[in-house]
């Protein structure tokens, strides 16, 4: 950590040039003897990456940015707020895989103390500096192995362990929990011996049912999306819990939170009705589909499915609180009828439970992207391929 970067004149220079290209800044000669042009470029790149993802950091003074990979891998402020809601006030938390410390800073706002463990001593120093600038005074940064730190604690000395295992090992992506670093499957017994709760931040690509077999005492699973993009899965272990796991699909968009909670047993036992498209078409958010709430979401809002395997829903009633996009249906056509009668040369094309991909559909029917019209190419309850033309509610 080059502390000269925090000098007033350097910070003013960075602020004055932060809208410029970092690569262009890196090629310039630095106006400072103690700060290189590449270091200035790193700070500008970090600010640009943080504007949307970490606005509190971006618009606070004297924030020091690490290498871009640390910002790419950290949580956003939106998802960090969800984690904050999961812990009790005045609790003791250990963040085993600290990173850039976004989650640690938000957890600290509820906790009595958060121990931020990070093997990278430079990154640990950066997080300690930034937390002080942000007024987070109960965050203790240790440049140490978080697993070894936990092992050294007395049994039940920790209230919450938070861990974000690395899904990139030896420069290759891994997909099984036991292949991540650290191996949380092998370590969960130790975690639950040292703490009451364990929070795991896991990949949105992970199969939830498979993970529930390997992770014991899971009380909650949270599937979090931000603006239509599934960002992460959170598994919450409670060492004393042996009941049914509740799964929550959480949709964050336009500064709103929509939640749908269900159990796998409820999903399995729910019967779904099918019908031809009615007045409104409901397209569920990615958090709902990733969570696997295909039937329970229909039950909650009294919706019909277009086809048992088509994850599109319909109703004559408008449910504005539905977690997903809602469309007013203008027309429903068979594929031959659409081919003969279509006059739209510009629309947003969606393919669901349909044998042709979006790009091929657009090419076949000569449709360009954009506009207010949406065309859903799908399958109806009778197994017939149809096109549903709708506009957003």
């Amino acid at each position: 950590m080059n502390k000269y970067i925090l000098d007033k004149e350097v910070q003013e220079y960075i602020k004055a040039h932060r809208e410029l290209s970092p690569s262009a800044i890196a090629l310039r000669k630095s106006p400072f003897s103690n700060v290189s042009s590449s270091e200035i470029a790193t700070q500008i790149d970090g600010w640009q990456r943080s504007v949307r993802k970490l606005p509190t950091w971006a618009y606070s003074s004297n924030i020091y940015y690490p290498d871009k990979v640390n910002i790419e891998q950290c949580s956003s402020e939106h998802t960090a707020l969800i984690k904050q809601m999961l812990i009790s006030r005045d609790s003791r938390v250990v963040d085993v895989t600290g990173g850039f410390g976004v989650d640690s800073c938000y957890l600290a706002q509820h906790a009595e103390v958060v121990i931020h463990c990070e093997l990278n001593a430079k990154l640990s120093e950066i997080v300690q500096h930034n937390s002080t600038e942000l007024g987070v005074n109960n965050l203790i940064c240790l440049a140490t192995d978080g697993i070894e730190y936990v092992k050294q604690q007395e049994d039940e000395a920790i209230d919450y362990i938070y861990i974000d295992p690395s899904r990139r090992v030896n420069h290759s992506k891994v997909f099984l929990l036991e292949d991540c670093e650290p191996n949380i499957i092998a370590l969960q017994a130790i975690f639950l011996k040292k703490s009451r709760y364990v929070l795991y931040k896991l990949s949105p690509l992970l199969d939830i049912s498979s993970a529930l077999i390997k992770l014991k005492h899971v009380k909650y699973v949270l599937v979090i999306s931000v603006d239509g993009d599934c960002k992460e899965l959170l598994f919450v272990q409670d060492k004393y819990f042996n009941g049914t796991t509740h799964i929550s699909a959480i949709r964050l968009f336009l500064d709103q939170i929509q939640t749908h909670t269900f159990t796998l047993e409820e999903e399995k036992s729910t019967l779904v009705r099918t019908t031809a498209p009615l007045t409104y078409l409901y397209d569920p958010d990615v958090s709902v589909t990733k969570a696997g709430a295909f039937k329970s979401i229909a039950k909650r809002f009294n919706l019909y499915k277009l086809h048992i395997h088509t994850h599109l829903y319909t109703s004559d009633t408008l449910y504005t609180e539905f977690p997903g996009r809602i469309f007013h249906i203008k027309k429903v056509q068979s594929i031959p009828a659409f081919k003969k009668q279509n006059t739209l040369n510009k629309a947003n094309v969606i393919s669901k439970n349909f044998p042709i991909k979006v790009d091929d559909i657009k090419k076949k029917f000569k449709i360009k992207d954009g506009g207010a019209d949406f065309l859903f190419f799908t399958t109806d309850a009778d197994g017939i391929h149809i096109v549903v033309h709708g506009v957003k509610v």
Side-chain angles (χ1 to χ4, degrees):
M1 180 176 174
N2 183 357
K3 293 188 177 180
Y4 288 108
I5 288 175
L6 300 170
D7 287 351
K8 182 180 178 181
E9 59 269 25
V10 178
Q11 287 291 301
E12 289 177 348
Y13 181 87
I14 291 171
K15 185 175 182 179
H17 295 81
R18 65 188 183 185
E19 302 286 352
L20 302 180
S21 165
S23 57
I25 292 293
L27 294 174
R28 293 185 180 184
K29 182 181 178 181
S30 172
F32 309 104
S33 60
N34 295 317
V35 181
S36 68
S37 57
S38 62
E39 287 176 317
I40 294 172
T42 296
Q43 295 306 301
I44 290 173
D45 180 76
W47 180 84
Q48 291 177 0
R49 291 176 185 275
S50 299
V51 169
R52 288 178 60 84
K53 188 176 186 179
L54 306 169
T56 299
W57 274 251
Y59 293 105
S60 296
S61 59
N62 295 321
I63 294 298
Y64 195 111
Y65 296 99
D67 295 335
K68 65 180 181 180
V69 65
N70 301 123
I71 300 177
E72 289 172 346
Q73 293 177 348
C74 76
S75 298
S76 69
E77 288 193 57
H78 294 92
T79 59
L81 276 167
I82 298 297
K83 301 180 189 80
Q84 183 189 81
M85 296 164 59
L86 295 174
I87 70 166
S88 301
R89 292 281 183 180
D90 302 323
S91 52
R92 179 179 171 85
V93 181
V94 175
D95 186 344
V96 174
T97 51
F100 189 41
V102 176
D103 288 321
S104 286
C105 283
Y106 273 91
L107 292 172
Q109 293 178 26
H110 271 201
E112 178 184 352
V113 64
V114 173
I115 309 297
H116 175 279
C117 300
E118 172 54 53
L119 277 170
N120 184 329
K122 177 182 175 182
L123 184 56
S124 179
E125 185 181 10
I126 289 172
V127 174
Q128 189 70 78
H129 163 79
N130 287 342
S131 64
T132 300
E133 293 296 328
L134 294 169
V136 183
N137 300 315
N138 58 336
L139 180 63
I140 300 173
C141 293
L142 303 178
T144 189
D145 185 325
I147 301 300
E148 292 304 314
Y149 178 84
V150 167
K151 289 179 178 178
Q152 293 166 9
Q153 304 308 301
E154 295 183 2
D155 292 356
E156 301 187 351
I158 307 166
D159 295 309
Y160 296 88
I161 290 174
Y162 173 68
I163 184 166
D164 177 8
S166 174
R167 296 176 285 278
R168 187 172 289 276
V169 180
N170 296 324
H171 306 292
S172 298
K173 283 188 177 182
V174 296
F175 299 97
L176 298 176
L177 284 181
E178 52 267 40
D179 292 335
C180 295
E181 288 187 354
N183 182 345
I184 61 174
I185 303 301
L187 290 167
Q188 62 180 318
I190 294 174
F191 291 158
L192 291 171
K193 185 178 181 182
K194 300 297 181 179
S195 69
R196 167 73 187 270
Y197 303 99
V198 188
L199 278 62
Y200 301 96
K201 174 187 171 182
L202 302 176
S203 167
L205 299 177
L206 183 71
D207 181 79
I208 294 174
S209 296
S210 175
L212 286 174
I213 294 172
K214 298 174 182 178
L215 290 170
K216 310 303 179 184
H217 309 292
V218 176
K219 191 171 186 178
Y220 305 110
V221 176
L222 281 66
V223 183
I224 305 173
S225 75
V226 180
D227 296 330
D229 186 11
C230 192
K231 292 296 185 180
E232 59 192 54
L233 307 182
L234 289 177
F235 281 65
V236 183
Q237 283 181 320
D238 177 346
K239 70 190 299 179
Y240 300 121
F241 181 75
N242 292 296
T244 300
T245 303
H246 282 75
I247 303 173
S248 293
I250 300 177
R251 181 193 187 204
L252 306 178
F253 78 111
L254 301 176
D255 295 325
Q256 299 181 52
I257 299 179
Q258 289 180 325
T259 302
H260 173 64
T261 301
F262 67 103
T263 66
L264 292 178
E265 290 79 0
E266 178 187 358
E267 180 67 22
K268 186 177 180 179
S269 63
T270 297
L271 298 177
V272 176
R273 303 164 298 170
T274 59
T275 187
L278 301 172
T279 305
Y280 299 101
L281 184 74
Y282 294 83
D283 183 16
D285 180 65
V286 64
S287 62
V288 174
T289 54
K290 175 59 189 179
F294 304 117
K295 295 190 289 185
S296 59
I297 195 73
K299 178 182 177 182
R300 174 181 168 186
F301 290 98
N302 194 30
L303 303 176
Y304 295 86
K305 292 191 80 174
L306 298 193
H307 181 279
I308 193 66
H309 298 305
T310 297
H311 304 316
L312 291 170
Y313 306 81
T314 190
S315 171
D316 281 326
T317 304
L318 177 61
Y319 298 102
T320 56
E321 65 273 27
F322 177 83
R325 300 184 299 179
I326 309 172
F327 301 86
H328 188 275
I329 296 174
K330 296 178 69 175
K331 187 184 295 185
V332 180
Q333 295 174 290
S334 66
I335 298 299
F338 177 81
K339 187 174 183 180
K340 290 179 181 179
Q341 302 169 17
N342 178 49
T343 57
L344 289 173
N345 55 19
K346 189 176 183 180
N348 302 279
V349 176
I350 298 97
S351 175
K352 285 201 174 188
N353 193 19
F354 194 77
I356 306 176
K357 295 179 179 179
V358 169
D359 287 343
D360 295 327
I361 292 171
K362 290 189 291 187
K363 184 177 180 180
K364 180 176 181 178
F365 295 104
K366 299 179 181 178
I367 302 171
K368 294 182 179 180
D369 277 326
D373 296 285
F374 286 75
L375 297 175
F376 288 84
F377 287 74
T378 187
T379 304
D380 70 9
D382 296 320
I384 298 172
H385 294 146
I386 60 172
V387 182
V388 180
H389 177 195
V391 292
K392 273 188 179 181
V393 171

